[in-house]
Amino acid sequence: MRQNTQIRRLVRETVLDTGDLIMPVFIKEGNANPTHVPSMPGVIVQNSKSVKDEVKTCIDLGIPAIMLFGIPSVRDNCGSSAYSSDNVISSAIRSLKNVFGDDIAIMADLCLDEYTDHGHCGILDESGVIKNDETLLLYEKTALSYAEAGIDFIAPSGMMDGQVAAIRRALDSAGYQDTAIMAYSAKYASAFYGPFRDAVEVSIVNGGDRKTYQQDIANANESLREIALDIQEGADIVMVKPAMTSLDIIARAKRRFNFPLAAYQVSGEYSMICMAAENNVIDRRSAVLEALTVIKRAGADCIITYFAKEAAGYLHDDQ
Ligand code: PBG
């Protein structure tokens, strides 16, 4: 059964497809030129012009969706540039929809951490504790401005309790019933987000962390409860993150819920492969395809990955 390529193809259980891939796209307000992210080799922070070329490349490669992340020029304690009408993401959605229509699905991460001066995903009280319910109101405002700009999927990543229900209610009551939600449902407080914070220029005040709102990596049942809640609250796709350290969660979630499931191969997973390959420790192409295929084998329907364009190229060559 493993004798040669053709026989292996016949009995292959998991086939990675370009249609499974979602490409993250960083866009920085006022960025004169596209810039590199030092800790993520090959990842570029776009500006309002270059983002169109990046998205065109994704479309040409057959990638079905992008996930936008914004880097604002101004940050304050309540993240107000996240929900201003000329927000960097809303402006990008408007111009990308204008140029590309439905040739690619547009998703945007919805969170406050890129927009607050303290770097937390919500607003804080005087003692530095997250105000969950007040934060939800700002998520709703942000969701409405993205929806108004024409987004396909809102992707709330802040891990506030009730965020999916709040956003769903706000969207429905403003007439955006067709705007979908990809929920970061099981999101761990992970060391593997380090390079991403470099890309979005976020550092958490006083050397803080997100352990009061992101999940403890030691817990699995909690993830299943979080996913169940998000499905109940109206999520259209649920997500598990990071991917490589949560393959057990992906497998259990798929079996338990049989619901559209995304996995996020995060920045640290990306950079580890890049850096090991650069040092000739592993073979890059095989490692990329293996990492993505096993995420799918575990049960993910789609994968957010910084390798999306590269993998699409490999899959195209293989045909
Ligand atoms: C929050 C957000 C983060 C990531 C995606 N959305 C950072 C965090 O939670 O600290 C991490 C993604 C990655 O590491 O690639 N806006």
Side-chain angles (χ1 to χ4, degrees):
M1 295 280 272
R2 303 174 191 154
Q3 220 60 20
N4 62 46
T5 308
Q6 301 314 330
I7 296 174
R8 287 193 295 274
R9 278 182 70 209
L10 278 180
V11 294
R12 187 155 293 151
E13 297 173 36
T14 307
V15 179
L16 186 68
D17 184 81
T18 305
D20 305 328
L21 306 173
I22 300 165
M23 179 71 195
V25 174
F26 296 106
I27 172 162
K28 181 173 174 179
E29 193 169 25
N31 206 17
N33 293 303
T35 40
H36 288 272
V37 181
S39 57
M40 299 181 74
V43 170
I44 306 282
V45 177
Q46 311 290 345
N47 60 26
S48 55
K49 258 176 79 185
S50 66
V51 71
K52 291 178 199 156
D53 300 331
E54 171 74 353
V55 172
K56 175 79 170 64
T57 306
C58 291
I59 293 170
D60 291 345
L61 285 163
I63 293 170
I66 53 163
M67 172 81 87
L68 292 170
F69 293 92
I71 302 146
S73 48
V74 183
R75 293 180 155 114
D76 60 20
N77 69 353
C78 54
S80 58
S81 50
Y83 39 89
S84 60
S85 60
D86 59 348
N87 160 269
V88 56
I89 295 294
S90 301
S91 312
I93 298 166
R94 236 175 251 118
S95 81
L96 292 171
K97 274 289 165 197
N98 199 20
V99 181
F100 301 112
D102 288 339
D103 290 349
I104 193 155
I106 301 184
M107 307 177 162
D109 184 271
L110 189 159
C111 197
L112 290 185
D113 65 327
E114 291 94 353
Y115 303 92
T116 54
D117 51 13
H118 46 72
H120 278 292
C121 299
I123 48 176
L124 306 176
D125 69 12
E126 308 71 45
S127 53
V129 173
I130 293 270
K131 298 201 275 190
N132 188 93
D133 294 4
E134 287 85 343
T135 298
L136 293 184
L137 300 175
L138 304 182
Y139 285 3
E140 289 174 33
K141 272 173 90 163
T142 310
L144 288 177
S145 69
Y146 292 178
E148 199 265 322
I151 191 125
D152 297 296
F153 276 88
I154 306 264
S157 68
M159 290 299 280
M160 296 299 126
D161 290 343
Q163 61 184 12
V164 173
I167 291 170
R168 187 68 270 160
R169 211 177 314 115
L171 291 173
D172 288 349
S173 53
Y176 297 112
Q177 285 89 350
D178 291 339
T179 305
I181 297 178
M182 173 191 269
Y184 286 71
S185 303
K187 176 171 175 181
Y188 287 97
S190 168
F192 292 95
Y193 309 152
F196 173 92
R197 295 190 188 149
D198 188 19
V200 293
E201 303 168 25
V202 168
S203 59
I204 307 174
V205 71
N206 300 327
D209 57 46
R210 307 201 193 292
K211 289 183 179 169
T212 64
Y213 43 101
Q214 297 182 348
Q215 290 174 231
D216 185 335
I217 48 109
N219 295 351
N221 292 324
E222 186 184 18
S223 277
L224 299 178
R225 290 197 294 276
E226 288 280 3
I227 292 169
L229 278 171
D230 280 359
I231 293 173
Q232 240 173 42
E233 290 181 24
D236 298 281
I237 302 179
V238 291
M239 190 214 295
V240 173
K241 172 184 175 205
M244 193 184 60
T245 52
S246 313
L247 294 173
D248 58 331
I249 309 296
I250 296 170
R252 287 176 67 179
K254 191 64 199 178
R255 210 173 313 126
R256 169 89 66 99
F257 302 107
N258 198 19
F259 196 81
L261 180 63
Y264 196 146
Q265 184 192 48
V266 300
S267 55
E269 298 175 67
Y270 171 82
S271 296
M272 281 194 302
I273 294 179
C274 294
M275 288 170 182
E278 274 165 24
N279 288 291
N280 295 320
V281 176
I282 57 173
D283 175 64
R284 180 169 177 131
R285 186 183 197 281
S286 317
V288 169
L289 291 174
E290 178 176 335
L292 294 173
T293 302
V294 301
I295 294 168
K296 191 167 178 193
R297 187 190 70 203
D301 298 298
C302 50
I303 306 168
I304 302 150
T305 170
Y306 303 94
F307 289 120
K309 289 189 296 174
E310 181 173 336
Y314 297 149
L315 296 169
H316 187 261
D317 294 346
D318 284 350
Q319 274 168 6

